[in-house]
Amino acid sequence: MQDIPYKKFQSALIPNLPEERFIGVRTPALKAFAGELLLAHKQENSGFLNGFLSELPHQYFDEDQLHAFVVSGQKDFDACVGALEEFLPYINNWATCDQLNPKIFKKNKEKLLPFIKKWILSEHVYTVRFAVSMLMKHFLNDDFSEEYLEMVCSVKNGDYYVKMMVAWYFATALAMQYDSALPYIEQKKLEPWTHNKAIQKACESFRVKDEHKEYLRTLKTDSVRQ
């Protein structure tokens, strides 16, 4: 499945990992392979898939991606969360973190929430990023509560990839829950870099009204630290 030009392209997008950690398998191929593994495991109940999932940490980025797709395809909530909690501490890049999106979570939001509240307090960068991403994907619609804004605002991890996810969350909240999210921007409750990035991303979004974008631009702060 290896694609050498894609390997070079992919490694350039994830600078915190050395190029030798990449095989260069394209995402559609990995997703299809994950589906084949899950189907074979269901039909044959072989130990191969369990063996792969337990071999942590993996050597290659592509293995981590495959792992993420397998976990995301789990159809039992408890099994999915169990596999996820074993895997989260070993995630070492934003791409694998963001590929984790278990379908089963949509139907089990009440059961998911306590885990998010635990993960968001982690000291591990990508566990926190994943927790914020789950709040963004599953709790900004009918299941929204203003307490979730406070949870994300309270994240103190200063890592770039956590701050970017916090900014992304608030930009999305400004699109979907504007009246609730706006006071966090008006009162500058986020640290300056994240505050400005959230405004930038909101202004780039097609889901934010033009009049809201115009007002948000006036709320940028000049006090920014990297």
Side-chain angles (χ1 to χ4, degrees):
M1 299 181 189
Q2 187 179 51
D3 183 329
I4 296 298
Y6 185 68
K7 169 184 176 178
K8 295 183 180 298
F9 166 77
Q10 201 170 41
S11 65
L13 295 177
I14 307 170
N16 65 304
L17 297 182
E19 187 174 330
E20 57 266 25
R21 293 287 301 274
F22 294 81
I23 298 172
V25 183
R26 290 182 176 271
T27 298
L30 283 173
K31 286 185 175 180
F33 189 30
E36 292 172 10
L37 290 174
L38 285 165
L39 181 60
H41 182 72
K42 179 180 179 181
Q43 293 177 340
E44 303 169 13
N45 197 28
S46 68
F48 174 78
L49 188 57
N50 291 336
F52 169 71
L53 294 178
S54 66
E55 290 176 354
L56 293 167
H58 296 302
Q59 181 176 355
Y60 294 104
F61 164 80
D62 309 65
E63 291 178 294
D64 285 330
Q65 293 288 87
L66 178 62
H67 197 129
F69 294 135
V70 167
V71 172
S72 296
Q74 297 276 358
K75 295 185 177 181
D76 177 82
F77 179 84
D78 293 332
C80 180
V81 168
L84 184 58
E85 293 213 291
E86 290 182 7
F87 184 46
L88 279 173
Y90 295 97
I91 295 176
N92 57 15
N93 67 89
W94 66 267
T96 301
C97 179
D98 293 0
Q99 292 287 12
L100 274 171
N101 189 21
K103 298 177 182 178
I104 195 68
F105 285 178
K106 291 181 180 180
K107 298 179 180 180
N108 292 273
K109 294 181 183 180
E110 188 174 334
K111 292 172 67 176
L112 172 63
L113 192 57
F115 289 99
I116 292 177
K117 290 181 177 180
K118 179 178 68 171
W119 296 332
I120 207 168
L121 298 176
S122 172
E123 295 183 358
H124 181 243
V125 166
Y126 297 104
T127 300
V128 178
R129 182 179 170 100
F130 178 72
V132 177
S133 76
M134 290 297 98
L135 283 175
M136 182 176 69
K137 291 174 181 176
H138 297 297
F139 294 92
L140 279 176
N141 283 310
D142 296 338
D143 297 285
F144 171 74
S145 170
E146 291 189 5
E147 74 169 293
Y148 306 147
L149 293 168
E150 190 60 37
M151 283 170 57
V152 177
C153 182
S154 298
V155 170
K156 300 304 181 186
N157 192 306
D159 183 90
Y160 170 82
Y161 291 104
V162 171
K163 293 196 298 181
M164 279 295 296
M165 181 55 73
V166 170
W168 188 5
Y169 173 87
F170 270 93
T172 307
L174 287 165
M176 302 177 71
Q177 300 289 344
Y178 181 79
D179 291 339
S180 295
L182 183 61
Y184 286 81
I185 304 301
E186 289 180 321
Q187 299 170 29
K188 295 180 169 57
K189 290 188 175 184
L190 302 173
E191 61 90 25
W193 186 92
T194 309
H195 171 91
N196 282 353
K197 185 62 68 172
I199 292 174
Q200 176 192 327
K201 294 177 79 67
C203 290
E204 292 171 351
S205 172
F206 293 113
R207 295 185 292 178
V208 177
K209 296 179 180 179
D210 289 341
E211 58 266 32
H212 290 170
K213 292 180 182 180
E214 185 176 352
Y215 177 54
L216 287 169
R217 291 188 183 101
T218 71
L219 299 176
K220 284 192 172 182
T221 180
D222 294 329
S223 176
V224 178
R225 60 181 183 275
Q226 295 297 329

